[in-house]
Amino acid sequence: AQHDLPAELGDDLRALRDSAAIGYDELTARAHYPSDILKEAENGPSLPGLPILTAYVRARAPRGTTLTARSWQTEAPLRMLQN
């Protein structure tokens, strides 16, 4: 089966934001990126770059959580391919 990686990643990013119960305004403040960039990361049409993904996930993460760009670069695509 063919995967639509931008759509799947957007769904994952939306789920992260929803699970944190934060809106774009708060996410924008935490991630230090404009809301239109973050909305594009969730809605496509293309895959966001690693700096945007890292900022997005760090902004959503609970305080004190250690996330690395390397983990997102390797784990997220692998998880998507396993579905």
Side-chain angles (χ1 to χ4, degrees), residues 35-57:
S35 64
D36 60 325
I37 298 293
L38 300 174
K39 288 177 184 177
E40 188 175 308
E42 286 187 14
N43 299 310
S46 59
L47 288 170
L50 192 55
I52 298 298
L53 287 176
T54 302
Y56 196 105
V57 173

Side-chain angles (χ1 to χ4, degrees), residues 10-71:
D11 290 345
D12 286 348
L13 292 176
R14 217 171 355 274
L16 283 172
R17 186 172 52 79
D18 289 347
S19 71
I22 59 175
Y24 282 113
D25 290 340
E26 187 173 346
L27 184 63
T28 296
R30 290 183 187 185
H32 306 289
Y33 278 95
S35 64
D36 60 325
I37 298 293
L38 300 174
K39 288 177 184 177
E40 188 175 308
E42 286 187 14
N43 299 310
S46 59
L47 288 170
L50 192 55
I52 298 298
L53 287 176
T54 302
Y56 196 105
V57 173
R58 284 184 190 279
R60 183 268 172 232
R63 302 281 186 243
T65 301
T66 301
L67 299 169
T68 65
R70 179 76 177 145
S71 66

Side-chain angles (χ1 to χ4, degrees), residues 1-9 77-83:
Q2 185 174 346
H3 289 276
D4 182 355
L5 291 181
E8 290 179 27
L9 182 57
L78 289 175
R79 186 180 51 73
M80 285 182 186
L81 293 174
Q82 291 172 351
N83 291 331

